Amino acid sequence: MTGTAAPAGKRELTKAANRTAILDAARHVFAELGFGAASVRDIVRRTDLAAGTFYNYFPDKESVLRALLDEVATEVRGRVQAARRAAGTPEAFVADGFRAYFGYLATEPELFELMRRNAGTLRAMFDAPAIGAGVEELEDDLQAAVAAGLIPAHDTAFMARAMVGASFEVAVLMLDREPVDVDGAVAFVTRLFLGGLERQG
């Protein structure tokens, strides 16, 4: 025994590749057709897989959308949390986190379309574990910022939920405007929440 992990077997690699192919295809289909109009058949047609193979990985199209949402939320959470934790001022704490989120969405064209076309469906999926984890991480960061004296003491549970909810709704509107104005969206939410935090002091 050398202590190094054995390479994944061909079966495991194939399973991972098939799952990725389904998710990639679903991202295209949901962005182009919308979740409501899309079918499992539409997704499978974008892959080289047999129709029955889809059901080895996902029971239905909603489970695929939830998996995509989890992937995106996990990626965004890392970027946003890093931005908040590097902040040295109250304004940077608020603005940099929102900028990381809005900027990511604006530079990913397919994700951009996925959100624009499926805002109502995504709104109904706010119970996804990855989103819940994002709320908890934000609440933890707010508490740490309060403890460090960076921002005034306040109800961090209310604030975390307000900030996450507003970030989604403002992002949807931002993506629906021409041209997409990341700076304008960041400035708006920063004034909104920074003002609210300052009034807590």
Side-chain angles (χ1 to χ4, degrees), residues 37-97:
S39 68
V40 169
R41 177 178 289 184
D42 292 321
I43 296 169
V44 173
R45 282 177 179 159
R46 292 292 188 99
T47 72
D48 295 325
L49 305 175
T53 304
F54 175 94
Y55 296 102
N56 292 332
Y57 299 89
F58 299 100
D60 50 37
K61 68 176 184 177
E62 180 178 330
S63 64
V64 181
L65 184 58
R66 285 186 177 274
L68 286 172
L69 183 59
D70 281 349
E71 280 190 356
V72 171
T74 299
E75 172 68 22
V76 169
R77 277 168 39 212
R79 293 168 181 254
V80 169
Q81 191 171 50
R84 284 196 305 259
R85 292 185 174 180
T89 66
E91 182 174 0
F93 181 90
V94 177
D96 293 355

Side-chain angles (χ1 to χ4, degrees), residues 20-34 43 46 64-65 67-73 75 104 108-115 117-118:
T20 297
I22 292 169
L23 289 172
D24 288 346
R27 186 188 292 253
H28 293 307
V29 169
F30 294 150
E32 288 179 13
L33 303 179
I43 296 169
R46 292 292 188 99
V64 181
L65 184 58
L68 286 172
L69 183 59
D70 281 349
E71 280 190 356
V72 171
E75 172 68 22
Y104 176 71
E108 293 286 330
E110 204 161 59
L111 179 58
F112 177 116
E113 287 300 327
L114 181 69
M115 279 196 67
R117 194 173 292 273
N118 301 283

Side-chain angles (χ1 to χ4, degrees), residues 1-9:
M1 298 289 289
T2 63
T4 58

